[in-house]
Amino acid sequence: MSKFVVVVIDSFGVGAMDDVPQVRSEDMGANTCGHILRHFPQLRLPVLEKLGLINALGFTEGVMRPSVNAAYGTAALQHEGGDTFMGHQEILGTRPQAPLRMPFSEVIDEVEQALKADCWQVERIGDELQFLWVNQAVAIGDNLEADLGQVFNISANLNAISFDEVRSIGEIVRHCVQVGRVIAFGGLLESSQQLLDAAEEKQGTYIGVNAPRSGVYQQGFQVVHMGFGVNGRVQVPQKLHDAGVKTVLVGKVADIALNPHGISYQNLVDTQQIMDITLDEVQKPGDVFICTNIQETDLAGHAQDVARYAERLEVVDKNLARLMNALQPGDCLVVMADHGNDPTIGHSKHTRENVPLLVWQPGISHSYLGARKTLSDVGATVCEFFAASAPQNGTSFLSLLNTSNTGGNHG
């Protein structure tokens, strides 16, 4: 019985990609990991250190040092920008295509009509640029934290409306639009006015709620990510199902990735709960691929809260030790990210960064996995590990791992 576990520390990049000066000048100099360690030079993450985090970072910062026995590399983002939704589709083997971009203003009429037809109370807020205000508790407009024009947000006060109702609103919006992602979310706010007070315009084209400033992340946060146009047949979960291997998705990845034949633990945000579920699934019998997303690091990045980010990394590090103790010879662990979100860069959006690629198996020795060109190399490696058909995209690095047992041991 073999386990392959991928832990995605959401937004934990290790330096701006080479194309950033041309495509995302606002991210020049970004380095989520490096800047957190510089801000807290005494921060020690012993498990990530052992796995080769500093090796992947490429320079020493603070008290942490390179590891002599690490199997490590980096991976570039093949998708445009830096997006959690597309990042996870890429990890699972999808070849990224250019995203559709449009401001919410282009679809506001259709969305407004559909909501009214479903008996929601809808107002427009704003002058030339407007967003929708539903039941005096929900704002619908452009996502200001992702790449502008690629995502629409439904931001809600869950003290005034239930999350099930917010999800229903999100499904109506999703039906009306074709951008890559619609995000329906909310938190427990003292007043719905906090959403209106956090409204902002960008570039004279986009209008929405600044989610970190509104306070929705601070208490009772719930979220569902609604994607568009993803072909699950070419991705890892389907390929593994065809080979008789179970897939378990935990956390944000379960909200955004297709897994019709497996187990998906959705609508989870708390890091400790997510890691507890991951450990529990590892300890169950049978072959399994587990992909887990740690979202709270990304939320700390959006809030530009370096201290919170560092504290969440400490929680992850302690739980990685528990996870590694449960893995058996022949099992495999990958720790990575999906993009960056440098809390020190001066804006609250994702940053386009290379990500660490840290691999561990019992008995593994030093391996350099190189600068991989796509996150999909992880998905390709998972499929080779289980002797399944390859996903649409990516090149396996399984043969580069120096260990006595690098393949799935079914039984």
Side-chain angles (χ1 to χ4, degrees):
M1 295 181 292
S2 295
K3 323 288 185 185
F4 197 118
V5 185
V6 175
V7 176
V8 181
I9 305 177
D10 201 310
S11 86
F12 196 44
V14 289
M17 287 179 54
D18 290 342
D19 64 359
V20 158
Q22 290 75 45
V23 301
R24 282 172 71 97
S25 58
E26 70 269 27
D27 293 348
M28 289 176 63
N31 193 318
T32 303
C33 174
H35 288 157
I36 290 170
L37 295 180
R38 184 173 301 170
H39 200 88
F40 293 105
Q42 297 305 310
L43 177 65
R44 171 152 269 146
L45 305 166
V47 178
L48 287 168
E49 184 177 44
K50 173 184 176 180
L51 292 177
L53 177 61
I54 302 304
N55 307 60
L57 181 62
F59 59 90
T60 300
E61 191 69 68
V63 298
M64 293 175 62
R65 294 292 180 266
S67 170
V68 296
N69 291 318
Y72 75 96
T74 59
L77 315 183
Q78 195 175 7
H79 69 274
E80 293 186 19
D83 181 69
T84 296
F85 178 78
M86 280 312 305
H88 283 79
Q89 310 308 325
E90 187 178 336
I91 290 169
L92 294 176
T94 289
R95 184 178 300 115
Q97 304 298 316
L100 174 68
R101 290 185 175 89
M102 67 167 58
F104 184 66
S105 60
E106 290 191 18
V107 296
I108 189 170
D109 292 343
E110 183 179 353
V111 172
E112 181 182 35
Q113 291 169 10
L115 288 167
K116 288 182 174 178
D118 202 50
C119 299
W120 296 97
Q121 178 190 350
V122 185
E123 306 171 58
R124 292 195 183 206
I125 304 294
D127 298 320
E128 290 187 16
L129 283 178
Q130 298 177 319
F131 63 92
L132 297 181
W133 185 236
V134 182
N135 283 39
Q136 298 186 328
V138 182
I140 306 175
D142 293 296
N143 180 310
L144 304 180
E145 285 76 54
D147 284 2
L148 294 172
Q150 295 186 26
V151 183
F152 298 152
N153 275 5
I154 294 99
S155 313
N157 175 16
L158 299 184
N159 268 327
I161 189 170
S162 73
F163 186 64
D164 285 342
E165 290 174 298
V166 176
R167 184 195 298 268
S168 296
I169 292 170
E171 289 170 351
I172 293 171
V173 177
R174 175 73 281 176
H175 182 73
C176 293
V177 305
Q178 295 187 349
V179 292
R181 190 159 40 125
V182 169
I183 313 177
F185 62 91
L188 299 173
L189 303 177
E190 291 183 6
S191 169
S192 299
Q193 186 65 36
Q194 290 174 243
L195 295 168
L196 297 175
D197 291 344
E200 294 180 5
E201 295 183 12
K202 294 285 182 72
Q203 300 178 5
T205 303
Y206 305 96
I207 185 169
V209 170
N210 180 322
R213 191 158 68 87
S214 73
V216 291
Y217 294 156
Q218 295 175 4
Q219 184 178 358
F221 179 67
Q222 294 187 70
V223 61
V224 59
H225 298 258
M226 302 175 180
F228 179 81
V230 175
N231 180 6
R233 295 189 300 276
V234 304
Q235 293 186 324
V236 172
Q238 182 64 52
K239 300 297 185 182
L240 295 186
H241 173 72
D242 293 343
V245 178
K246 180 174 72 172
T247 293
V248 176
L249 305 181
V250 187
K252 188 175 180 180
V253 62
D255 300 330
I256 61 181
L258 298 171
N259 186 31
H261 308 291
I263 298 171
S264 295
Y265 291 91
Q266 298 179 312
N267 300 321
L268 298 176
V269 178
D270 181 75
T271 299
Q272 187 60 56
Q273 182 185 12
I274 287 168
M275 292 302 286
D276 285 345
I277 292 171
T278 303
L279 179 60
D280 182 60
E281 287 291 339
V282 163
Q283 293 172 329
K284 293 179 180 179
D287 295 331
V288 66
F289 165 59
I290 304 171
C291 187
T292 293
N293 174 278
I294 305 299
Q295 185 181 5
E296 286 188 306
T297 46
D298 186 52
L299 297 180
H302 284 309
Q304 300 174 275
D305 189 338
V306 188
R308 175 65 172 172
Y309 204 126
E311 187 269 336
R312 289 293 89 186
L313 288 174
E314 290 179 311
V315 174
V316 172
D317 199 76
K318 292 175 183 177
N319 281 279
L320 286 174
R322 298 170 65 213
L323 195 59
M324 291 160 67
N325 285 335
L327 293 175
Q328 303 299 313
D331 295 344
C332 191
L333 169 69
V334 171
V335 180
M336 63 183 303
D338 51 347
H339 51 72
N341 195 340
D342 189 336
T344 73
I345 198 68
H347 66 71
S348 62
K349 298 196 304 179
H350 294 161
T351 43
R352 183 168 172 78
E353 297 182 47
N354 296 297
V355 304
L357 182 61
L358 313 178
V359 184
W360 183 83
Q361 295 179 279
I364 202 166
S365 57
H366 175 81
S367 308
Y368 178 56
L369 307 177
R372 317 298 297 190
K373 295 180 180 179
T374 172
L375 308 179
S376 293
D377 288 0
V378 173
T381 303
V382 171
C383 285
E384 185 183 357
F385 179 87
F386 286 112
S389 299
Q392 180 187 50
N393 196 41
T395 302
S396 172
F397 51 77
L398 194 67
S399 64
L400 299 179
L401 300 177
N402 296 320
T403 182
S404 58
N405 186 351
T406 58
N409 180 21
H410 300 272

